[in-house]
Amino acid sequence: SPLNWLFLIDPLIELLERVNESKGYTITPENKVHTMVYADDILLLGTSSTNVNESFDVCREYMAYHECYYHPGKTIYSCINPAKLDPCEPPYIATPYWAPEDSGPAKKIPPTEAFRYLGMWFALDGSWKKQIEVIDQAINALSGGLSHTLASATPEQCRFVVQSVVIPKLAYPLTLANIPESNINRWEVKIRALLRAGLKTARSMNTGALYAP
């Protein structure tokens, strides 16, 4: 809730900003990013495992003071292109005695494995393979579930469902992910097929007319 953010997360962000003022991942010579936060999702960035672990220690101590803790199995750690002597060791998470989870290191994943952050699947190697698979599954599920429904819908209902449910499903990930045009074209073919099934139109119908409200 907004109050939880105000009283718990916001002070943590200010603390991280003070501690990591000169640290973080370099975007430009004048700009570094050490923390990304949205609601209760926190992403720590650094140029070495030491940087990241120091930031995590700040988070861990802060949460312990407020009688909260991080789940070792849900705390993801990954690194790419480390320095030769950088061990890339994930932080160790000591859970309190009353927690059901055992203490242990954060879950370390290779840079090729995607992790979920803010509804998107990112991989440090720049691959969007996992995100493409997720969109594929969503489009296939929508196509299968809506094809029979739209067949009995009015043209107005059919266009409303496609424009208000199906297309927005793609809008957010396509805004952030660098997905090949071939994948986008393939999804667009499936969306057109949904519309044609609902509108009962010929395949030769102009695409612009197909999407017209």
Side-chain angles (χ1 to χ4, degrees):
S1 72
L3 284 179
N4 286 339
W5 170 274
L6 182 64
F7 291 118
L8 186 64
I9 305 298
D10 190 58
L12 174 59
I13 297 172
E14 294 182 8
L15 179 60
L16 286 167
E17 286 180 343
R18 290 197 299 271
V19 172
N20 293 319
E21 186 175 0
S22 61
K23 302 175 184 176
Y25 183 81
T26 302
I27 304 298
T28 68
E30 297 80 22
N31 296 286
K32 293 184 177 182
V33 177
H34 54 74
T35 311
M36 296 175 64
V37 183
Y38 184 86
D40 60 347
D41 286 323
I42 301 175
L43 183 64
L44 303 175
L45 304 172
T47 55
S48 69
S49 59
T50 300
N51 282 167
V52 174
N53 288 354
E54 286 174 351
S55 294
F56 185 78
D57 283 342
V58 172
C59 295
R60 180 182 51 75
E61 291 176 11
Y62 178 86
M63 288 298 178
Y65 177 80
H66 291 281
E67 297 186 347
C68 299
Y69 69 97
Y70 291 96
H71 191 307
K74 295 181 179 179
T75 304
I76 305 299
Y77 175 90
S78 189
C79 62
I80 190 170
N81 300 328
K84 187 175 181 180
L85 299 179
D86 192 330
C88 285
E89 288 297 325
Y92 185 84
I93 303 174
T95 57
Y97 72 91
W98 45 264
E101 293 80 23
D102 293 331
S103 299
K107 181 182 178 182
K108 184 177 181 179
I109 62 173
T112 54
E113 183 176 336
F115 60 93
R116 195 167 187 265
Y117 182 67
L118 301 184
M120 292 285 293
W121 288 93
F122 297 89
L124 292 189
D125 67 350
S127 168
W128 293 101
K129 181 180 178 181
K130 177 65 176 179
Q131 184 61 59
I132 291 171
E133 291 175 357
V134 169
I135 296 176
D136 258 332
Q137 292 168 4
I139 292 294
N140 290 336
L142 286 169
S143 298
L146 289 175
S147 57
H148 297 297
T149 303
L150 295 184
S152 59
T154 66
E156 292 77 14
Q157 290 171 330
C158 180
R159 285 194 172 100
F160 176 81
V161 168
V162 170
Q163 294 172 354
S164 301
V165 178
V166 179
I167 293 177
K169 194 84 175 177
L170 290 171
Y172 174 59
L174 290 183
T175 301
L176 300 178
N178 184 20
I179 295 178
E181 187 177 349
S182 58
N183 292 96
I184 297 173
N185 291 336
R186 179 161 49 83
W187 296 329
E188 210 267 332
V189 167
K190 292 185 177 182
I191 293 173
R192 287 204 309 266
L194 263 181
L195 270 172
R196 289 197 174 97
L199 299 175
K200 301 176 180 60
T201 60
R203 292 177 61 87
S204 58
M205 185 177 184
N206 180 273
T207 302
L210 195 63
Y211 286 105

